[in-house]
Amino acid sequence: MASEIKVDTIVNAGGDNDTGIDLATNDQILLKVANATKLTMNSTGQTTIVGEGGTTTTSVQQGLVKVWVNFDGTASSAAARDSFNVSGMVDSGTGLYDVTINNNMANDDYADVSDMKDNDYGNRSFLGKQSNSTKTTSNIRTASYKGDPNGYQDNEEVRVLAVGDLA
């Protein structure tokens, strides 16, 4: 049989009782410092933490990047330098890349951002979304343009990230 310790609060050894872990509320844990709750975790795992200014809270789950990748868009297979929650990239043609999300997003309302290292500063390269591509929960399509939306180009460094809810 496993051992159990049943307590409502755990406080610091100094005895001032203003810093510790509050377990008294059902189905949530509160981390307190100087009598102020700094972190709350409920029974679903939803975690909020006090922001830098001390007056607002941030949802840890909502505030995290769920997908990111840095890859070489000039490589024949769009080779990843590093990534998180990405199962691969597909080079879908000159300047066109599809990033496959490993653990899908909950819906297609997530925010995704792409940027790149310009190969030639004089050519006004930029990344965007291909107007005829469909956003999905499992794939992010990005397009690298050179000068205008009709001139696609591959780039040495392409970066893509997404924030939102995972499925």
Side-chain angles (χ1 to χ4, degrees):
M1 176 179 198
S3 298
E4 287 185 16
I5 299 174
K6 294 184 179 187
V7 296
D8 287 334
T9 57
I10 301 171
V11 296
N12 64 355
D16 60 7
N17 296 330
D18 68 350
T19 300
I21 301 171
D22 182 348
L23 305 168
T25 306
N26 285 341
D27 299 328
Q28 73 177 10
I29 299 170
L30 306 176
L31 178 63
K32 295 183 175 185
V33 177
N35 279 331
T37 299
K38 301 295 183 180
L39 181 137
T40 303
M41 181 186 298
N42 69 20
S43 62
T44 66
Q46 182 66 29
T47 305
T48 57
I49 191 164
V50 173
E52 294 87 350
T55 58
T56 60
T57 59
T58 299
S59 167
V60 174
Q61 288 83 352
Q62 293 295 313
L64 297 175
V65 173
K66 303 302 185 348
V67 176
W68 66 264
V69 63
N70 178 323
F71 64 92
D72 182 351
T74 63
S76 61
S77 63
R81 290 185 178 91
D82 201 357
S83 67
F84 175 73
N85 195 23
V86 171
S87 59
M89 287 87 46
V90 175
D91 186 340
S92 298
T94 302
L96 299 174
Y97 313 104
D98 286 292
V99 175
T100 305
I101 300 169
N102 191 46
N103 295 300
N104 290 356
M105 303 301 286
N107 55 52
D108 64 0
D109 296 329
Y110 60 90
D112 59 300
V113 179
S114 304
D115 86 328
M116 53 86 191
K117 176 183 172 186
D118 191 349
N119 293 340
D120 182 357
Y121 298 111
N123 286 328
R124 300 182 345 249
S125 298
F126 58 97
L127 281 175
K129 298 296 172 202
Q130 191 178 27
S131 61
N132 62 352
S133 67
T134 302
K135 189 174 181 182
T136 72
T137 60
S138 61
N139 186 69
I140 301 170
R141 158 107 4 138
T142 190
S144 175
Y145 306 107
K146 179 177 181 178
D148 66 69
N150 297 317
Y152 296 113
Q153 77 170 13
D154 288 337
N155 280 284
E156 295 169 3
E157 187 171 341
V158 180
R159 300 168 292 255
V160 178
L161 64 86
V163 294
D165 296 326
L166 291 175

